[in-house]
Amino acid sequence: HLPLLRWTLDSLVERVGENQVAVRRHTAQATYRSGCQYDFERISFRDYVANLRARNAKGRSSYLAAQNLYQVFPQLATDIDVRPSPPNPPRETNPSESSAGAPSGTGSGNKEASRNSGTGRAESRGMEEPCQSNRLEYCVPPVGKLHMGPYMWVASEGHYEFCHMDPDNNWLIVVSGKRRVRMFSPAEPPMAPGVECFYPRPLGSHGKTIQARVDLDNIDLQTFPLFQRVLDAVPPPGVGDVAEGAWCWETELGPGDMLFIPAFFWHQVTTLEVSVAVNVFFGDAGPNTFLAKMLHEASPARAACERWLLNIVEQNRSVPSFAAMVPSLREVLYHFLKKQWHEEASEEQLAHLQALVMRHLALTSLPPAC
């Protein structure tokens, strides 16, 4: 009963056809499939849909991605309601659960991806509270703490979105069409093959995500030999199904399906037919719950989270003000995490992350402030 589930391309063109959108271009090229390069074009939503339907060269090599519903399509804002759920009572948790654990409702070829039941509650493992809203039929499942979104994604048939990991939990809601999703754990050996087996782009690469250079549809083991470990991996007992001989959660999503993608899990999405989807990026309720899960020594996401942070450090290393920030590294980290995840980092967490960055910068001590 989510109003957005009644969207069609025709109804969207009628309501927001003249809105300008940022469309990724040249998405059919190998450089895009490996997460290396793409550019943008501003175009009306009406023209973008016309290209999709014409299946012309531009329609086959364009992707409307990560368009903020509230900013780009304000006419649609009343069709979705994202509300945080209240913090759950404190309890001892296994760090492999929830945001760091296996994707909810997925399995090898399993169509039991979280399907909205129309009651404001998602039929999925790991959901503990209904959405706190007076309009339950408008709600996505509880998000704990909203990080970004909601976003719209519209893709042509056959679009391959490069394998990557996001620094947030993700509810993916398919409105129309079909998409295939493949996910892999980011955990390090012996629990999983490890982040480096996916050949992430070098530290300092553009973007908020970490992109894998491996094309999962055309795996080149001569160029990426460590990926053989992913193909040969066997999951620990009880973790999940095995797809194509690898530790891979795979499912097809259709209209009304909702999939939980944990933070820092590798995932790759292929559009099987023209598809509209919406997602939200989120964390856990509470001032430090999400960060504590990511940095727990037993968390499968810890190494990936640390790499993501170092990627941001490298992105900013050439900025003129970088040297001036290093003496106040702990304070910089605190405010960064506060802005990124709305989390209050503890002194212990800040000390760990400061040491991580200092090792990366080959510093034995912080320089004095100028």
Side-chain angles (χ1 to χ4, degrees):
H1 296 292
L2 284 169
L4 63 86
L5 295 180
R6 297 194 289 269
W7 291 350
T8 65
L9 285 179
D10 286 334
S11 70
L12 289 172
V13 168
E14 181 178 349
R15 295 175 67 184
V16 300
E18 305 312 313
N19 294 42
Q20 293 291 302
V21 295
V23 174
R24 296 180 185 176
R25 294 283 289 116
H26 309 300
T27 58
Q29 296 182 4
T31 50
Y32 184 86
R33 294 171 67 94
S34 60
C36 295
Q37 182 180 352
Y38 55 88
D39 51 15
F40 290 93
E41 177 185 15
R42 292 203 65 81
I43 189 174
S44 72
F45 183 79
R46 181 185 305 277
D47 288 344
Y48 175 71
V49 172
N51 289 330
L52 281 185
R53 287 176 161 166
R55 292 192 56 79
N56 55 31
K58 183 173 283 190
R60 295 192 304 271
S61 62
S62 299
Y63 182 34
L64 188 151
Q67 298 297 282
N68 189 293
L69 274 177
Y70 298 150
Q71 297 172 9
V72 179
F73 304 111
Q75 305 96 314
L76 306 177
T78 58
D79 290 358
I80 185 170
D81 189 12
V82 182
R83 303 287 183 91
S85 60
N88 293 319
R91 67 183 181 92
E92 288 295 321
T93 60
N94 184 328
S96 65
E97 294 176 356
S98 187
S99 61
S104 293
T106 64
S108 174
N110 183 0
K111 196 62 188 300
E112 295 302 317
S114 310
R115 186 181 293 274
N116 184 276
S117 63
T119 63
R121 186 185 294 270
E123 295 177 352
S124 168
R125 291 182 289 112
M127 303 313 301
E128 300 177 2
E129 296 288 343
C131 181
Q132 302 300 302
S133 171
N134 293 326
R135 300 182 299 155
L136 292 182
E137 71 278 9
Y138 282 44
C139 283
V140 299
V143 298
K145 187 186 296 178
L146 182 66
H147 289 173
M148 296 184 295
Y151 294 108
M152 182 189 289
W153 311 73
V154 184
S156 62
E157 179 180 341
H159 173 76
Y160 175 100
E161 183 63 5
F162 50 80
C163 184
H164 66 283
M165 57 172 68
D166 296 298
D168 316 273
N169 292 332
N170 179 3
W171 270 118
L172 175 63
I173 307 166
V174 174
V175 175
S176 63
K178 292 183 179 180
R179 300 185 181 218
R180 182 186 67 199
V181 183
R182 291 179 281 193
M183 280 188 286
F184 302 83
S185 171
E188 294 299 298
M191 289 296 294
V195 170
E196 297 302 322
C197 291
F198 287 80
Y199 292 85
R201 304 241 324 122
L203 292 179
S205 297
H206 175 74
K208 294 183 178 180
T209 67
I210 299 294
Q211 303 94 24
R213 290 183 288 153
V214 179
D215 182 339
L216 297 184
D217 284 352
N218 302 283
I219 299 170
D220 182 352
L221 290 176
Q222 287 190 329
T223 304
F224 308 115
L226 291 180
F227 196 79
Q228 186 66 55
R229 298 180 187 176
V230 180
L231 298 177
D232 294 340
V234 177
V239 168
D241 294 327
V242 178
E244 301 175 358
W247 186 3
C248 171
W249 290 274
E250 180 171 340
T251 191
E252 288 187 12
L253 305 177
D257 284 340
M258 308 176 71
L259 180 66
F260 171 59
I261 303 174
F264 294 108
F265 267 58
W266 291 110
H267 57 284
Q268 186 277 317
V269 183
T270 299
T271 305
L272 303 179
E273 58 188 45
V274 174
S275 176
V276 178
V278 170
N279 87 306
V280 290
F281 293 113
F282 66 99
D284 298 276
N288 188 258
T289 309
F290 182 78
L291 182 58
K293 286 182 178 180
M294 296 302 102
L295 295 182
H296 193 284
E297 61 183 10
S299 169
R302 177 167 170 155
C305 179
E306 292 175 348
R307 182 185 177 88
W308 167 77
L309 178 62
L310 294 180
N311 189 62
I312 294 171
V313 170
E314 283 301 314
Q315 287 175 345
N316 289 276
R317 201 167 182 177
S318 61
V319 175
S321 60
F322 182 82
M325 291 189 293
V326 174
S328 304
L329 181 57
R330 186 171 298 209
E331 290 79 6
V332 170
L333 288 168
Y334 174 87
H335 290 292
F336 168 76
L337 295 169
K338 183 73 171 176
K339 181 178 180 180
Q340 177 74 28
W341 288 332
H342 318 298
E343 296 278 294
E344 299 276 354
S346 69
E347 286 299 315
E348 181 180 359
Q349 291 164 346
L350 290 171
H352 168 72
L353 294 177
Q354 177 177 291
L356 173 74
V357 175
M358 288 178 64
R359 286 195 301 272
H360 177 71
L361 298 177
L363 296 175
T364 56
S365 61
L366 293 179
C370 296

